[in-house]
Amino acid sequence: MKQKTKNDILMGNSTSRKVFVTINTILLITITFITILPIIHIISLSFSSTQAAEGGLVGLLPVQFSLKAYESILGKTSFYKALMISVKRVLIGVPFSLLCTILVAYPLSKEKNKFSARKVYVWFFIITMLFNGGLIPTYIIVKSTGIMNKIWALILPSAVSVFNILILMNFFRELPKELEEAALIDGAGHTSILTKIYLPLAKPALATLVLFIFVFHWNSWFDGLMYINNIEKIPLQTYLQQILTMPDTRFMSADQLQELGNASRRTNNAAQIIISTIPIMIIYPFLQKYYTTGLVLGSVKS
Amino acid sequence: MIGQKINANRFSHRSNYSQSKFKKQLPLHMMMLIPVILVIIYCYGPMLGILISFQDYVPSTKGFFYSLINGKWIGLDMFKYIFKMPDFPSIVWNTFFIATMKIVAKIIFPLIFALLLNEVKRSWFKKSVQTITFLPYFLSWVILGGILLEIFSPRTGIVNQIIGCFGMEAKYFFGDPKTFPYMLVLTDLWKDIGFNTIILLAALTSIDPTLYEAAAIDGAGRLKQTLHITLPGISSIVVLIAILGLGNIMNAGFDQIFVLYGPSVYSTGDIIDTYTYRMGINNGQFSLATAVGLFKSVVSFVMLTISYWIANKYSDYRIF
């Protein structure tokens, strides 16, 4: 008789086990396909000809392969403008938010005997996690600080994220205390301890935060809708929200839609969805890795 | 910040020690200056703004504070009004109903999914399944909303074409008040299943493998091992997720609903957040919308505090 491996003993090796494994695999593949099919369909739609899309011929593969939708989108100034606003938002917003996170996480990572006001600040930030003024007061405050219609309206109100601060603060706290002690004895101040010791050691945590903040800024659309009234200055996701999901067009009758939508509407929309997803797709593998490790650390710690 | 300085000065005559300590810590205070100012303006400012729900607020060109100080105070009249509003019970119920269903669905289905995935021994397969199901989590609701409205479109969407092939009539899933809340739950599950599964898988892998070996030697099959080791092993994390979900009972998902809904499904799909947006931003009823928002914030605050407290007591979960 064949020697049983440890795996066989644990998992069993009977017929029923084999049946289970087969069914399980089929089930998992089905779930996975259901999750991804809508996205594959949209990709195919974007690469199909308008006739095929309108005729309802597109399933999971492009029909009558065509790049027309992409050509017409890339030539569309409104799309291009919105894309540039999003790029600008990311280029200013990510460093700014990261800086704010570092500047709070470092002091809060100190023990109480090194920073006696720590507890006061901790509560100062916790309260903002538990309670907020709500939509309208926030809108009024943003309006009265005079940043409406400026890129700062998309950056300043969300610059300090308590969640991100927590991640970095916990990372700082794990660093060996001896490094800081040694630097203090050598006469280093807080600024040099932070920039020369903490930040270089915290590169993995900082990379995680850059990804988090990047995704946040790239995906945000509601602040663009609230704080930017000038259609020329809205970021990409807000622009997409306006053209993809505006309720007034969705609840028109079929005839009205036919009149309104020139034939290329569906493929164009699909192409716009795909283009705006590209940055996320590119960093997706990194994102997943960091999210996974971050979550594993977070949940197993206790 | 200023408070700190005053404190330090007041006690300085008592001991020079505390003053020198403060001096030493001054750089730490200074570092936080900009973020603290931002939080005061954009987080605490709106908390002050809540006052307008006790006012008959009329925005003036002279700024928020001018309007606030010169506004007409009406006490609790606005709250008396909203509690009598015919829409109010339904938006509160919708919020509560959709949020609860989402919390339950996002525990049960990821749990089943994680248990099934845990049985897979080929790591490449496990990883590919996880990678693919995790993808929608990173896309914004605008993108996902665009995709969903396209595939569920009553006239041209692929879902209705497939249904048509089976001889069934096309259905407007996002336009029918009966199906709308369930569509919200399903599509939310679609977005987040990968994310929630990863948390549970992490908990599954942290179960001591010697327990399984011992059970196998005692003759327990895979099903018995799952029932007596796996499930008790992750019960604490499942309970933790459920408790933390309690704090979100008032958040039925603004982004998702906003991109998917329309007037025809207001009766079952309108939640407190979307109602606040429409009343406040679209209709300019600032005081009314703020009062509704305040109702939500207060309930959320109570639920969050309770859930964090239980979580802390139950499993050492701490925010800071």
Side-chain angles (χ1 to χ4, degrees), chain A residues 11 124 237 250 266 284, chain B residues 44 121 131 140 150 190 261:
Chain A
M11 294 296 187
F124 175 82
Q237 299 280 338
R250 271 193 296 125
R266 289 178 71 213
Y284 177 55
Chain B
Y44 286 90
K121 285 303 143 192
T131 308
S140 76
E150 163 60 41
W190 170 55
Y261 87 156

Side-chain angles (χ1 to χ4, degrees), chain A residues 163 167 208 212 287-302, chain B residues 130 134 137-138 192-203 205 237 240-241:
Chain A
F163 180 75
I167 295 175
T208 313
F212 281 14
L287 266 179
Q288 199 206 9
K289 189 180 117 206
Y290 282 119
Y291 256 92
T292 314
T293 41
L295 283 169
V296 172
L297 283 178
S299 55
V300 179
K301 203 165 62 184
S302 64
Chain B
Q130 271 181 279
F134 207 8
Y137 178 78
F138 291 106
D192 284 350
I193 193 163
F195 180 83
N196 288 25
T197 302
I198 277 183
I199 300 173
L200 292 165
L201 271 180
T205 48
I237 190 95
L240 182 67
I241 295 172

Side-chain angles (χ1 to χ4, degrees), chain B residues 157-182:
Chain B
I158 189 159
V159 173
N160 275 311
Q161 283 174 16
I162 294 169
I163 291 177
C165 291
F166 290 100
M168 280 184 279
E169 217 168 290
K171 223 173 143 24
Y172 197 173
F173 293 96
F174 288 113
D176 183 350
K178 275 197 212 104
T179 48
F180 188 75
Y182 303 99

Side-chain angles (χ1 to χ4, degrees), chain A residues 6 10-11 17 24 35 56 114 116 121 124 132 145 166 219 221 237 250-251 266 276 284 288, chain B residues 25 29 42 44 116 119 121 131 134-135 138 140 143 150 161 172 190 213 222 225 260-261 264:
Chain A
K6 195 170 153 193
L10 277 182
M11 294 296 187
R17 174 75 198 167
N24 188 23
T35 326
K114 295 252 178 56
S116 24
Y121 284 111
F124 175 82
N132 63 68
T145 47
L166 286 177
N219 279 347
W221 55 278
Q237 299 280 338
R250 271 193 296 125
F251 291 88
R266 289 178 71 213
S276 64
Y284 177 55
Q288 199 206 9
Chain B
Q25 296 177 0
H29 290 281
Y42 294 109
Y44 286 90
L116 293 180
E119 295 296 316
K121 285 303 143 192
T131 308
F134 207 8
L135 178 64
F138 291 106
S140 76
I143 297 290
E150 163 60 41
Q161 283 174 16
Y172 197 173
W190 170 55
E213 285 164 29
R222 199 57 191 161
Q225 290 175 27
L260 292 174
Y261 87 156
S264 66

Side-chain angles (χ1 to χ4, degrees), chain B residues 89-100 248-253 268-273 296:
Chain B
S90 93
I91 58 166
V92 173
W93 167 253
N94 290 344
T95 310
F96 175 76
F97 179 66
I98 294 168
T100 311
N248 270 321
I249 211 86
M250 289 312 239
N251 289 322
T268 58
D270 211 7
I271 57 165
I272 297 177
D273 292 327
K296 184 208 152 176

Side-chain angles (χ1 to χ4, degrees), chain A residues 6-7 9-11 17 20 24-25 27-29 31-32 34-36 38-39 41-42 45 56 58-59 96 100 103-104 106-108 110 113-118 120-142 144-145 147 156-157 159-160 162 166 169 190-191 194 215 219 221-222 225-226 237 240-241 244-245 247 250-251 254 257-258 266 273 276-277 280-281 284 287-288 291-292 295-296 299-300 302, chain B residues 1 4 21 24-25 27-29 31-32 34-36 38-47 49-50 52 57 64 113 116-121 125 128-143 145-147 149-151 155-158 161 172 174-175 190 193 195 198-199 202 206 212-213 216 222 225 237 254-255 258-264 273 276-277 280-281 286 289-290 294 297-298 300-301 304-305 308 315-316 319-320:
Chain A
K6 195 170 153 193
N7 209 13
I9 298 167
L10 277 182
M11 294 296 187
R17 174 75 198 167
F20 170 77
N24 188 23
T25 313
L27 205 62
L28 288 174
I29 292 174
I31 298 175
T32 311
I34 292 174
T35 326
I36 200 71
I39 295 165
H41 175 68
I42 292 296
L45 200 60
V58 184
F96 188 76
C100 284
L103 289 179
V104 177
Y106 175 77
L108 290 191
K110 301 286 165 221
N113 57 358
K114 295 252 178 56
F115 186 41
S116 24
R118 180 178 182 271
V120 178
Y121 284 111
V122 163
W123 276 105
F124 175 82
F125 288 107
I126 284 185
I127 288 170
T128 66
M129 278 183 102
L130 296 172
F131 194 75
N132 63 68
L135 183 77
I136 305 300
T138 310
Y139 172 79
I140 292 175
I141 292 292
V142 170
S144 65
T145 47
I147 54 173
L156 293 182
V160 186
V162 180
L166 286 177
M169 184 194 83
H190 284 297
T191 326
L194 175 61
V215 173
N219 279 347
W221 55 278
F222 186 61
L225 183 69
M226 289 271 282
Q237 299 280 338
L240 287 175
Q241 188 264 329
L244 294 178
T245 67
R250 271 193 296 125
F251 291 88
L257 269 176
Q258 198 106 42
R266 289 178 71 213
I273 288 175
S276 64
T277 314
I280 301 282
M281 293 291 191
Y284 177 55
L287 266 179
Q288 199 206 9
Y291 256 92
T292 314
L295 283 169
V296 172
S299 55
V300 179
S302 64
Chain B
M1 206 62 96
Q4 285 300 316
K21 197 166 137 195
K24 236 178 166 177
Q25 296 177 0
L28 294 174
H29 290 281
M31 275 183 185
M32 290 207 275
I34 293 169
V36 164
L38 283 173
V39 170
I40 289 175
I41 296 173
Y42 294 109
C43 295
Y44 286 90
M47 290 187 205
I50 284 172
I52 68 170
Y57 179 79
F64 168 64
F113 192 44
L116 293 180
L117 215 47
N118 196 41
E119 295 296 316
V120 176
K121 285 303 143 192
F125 180 67
S128 339
V129 171
Q130 271 181 279
T131 308
I132 295 171
T133 51
F134 207 8
L135 178 64
Y137 178 78
F138 291 106
L139 303 181
S140 76
W141 267 117
V142 167
I143 297 290
I147 295 175
L149 290 173
E150 163 60 41
I151 64 168
R155 218 164 45 84
T156 50
I158 189 159
Q161 283 174 16
Y172 197 173
F174 288 113
W190 170 55
I193 193 163
F195 180 83
I198 277 183
I199 300 173
S206 70
Y212 290 107
E213 285 164 29
R222 199 57 191 161
Q225 290 175 27
I237 190 95
F254 175 81
D255 285 27
F258 192 85
V259 299
L260 292 174
Y261 87 156
S264 66
D273 292 327
T276 310
Y277 177 83
I281 306 293
F286 281 9
T290 308
L294 177 60
S297 295
V298 170
S300 287
F301 173 73
L304 269 176
T305 316
Y308 283 159
S315 67
D316 292 337
I319 330 177
F320 264 81

Side-chain angles (χ1 to χ4, degrees), chain B residues 105-125:
Chain B
K106 284 204 279 193
I107 290 171
I108 293 174
F109 290 100
L111 181 62
I112 295 171
F113 192 44
L115 286 176
L116 293 180
L117 215 47
N118 196 41
E119 295 296 316
V120 176
K121 285 303 143 192
R122 288 186 207 92
S123 75
W124 64 266
F125 180 67

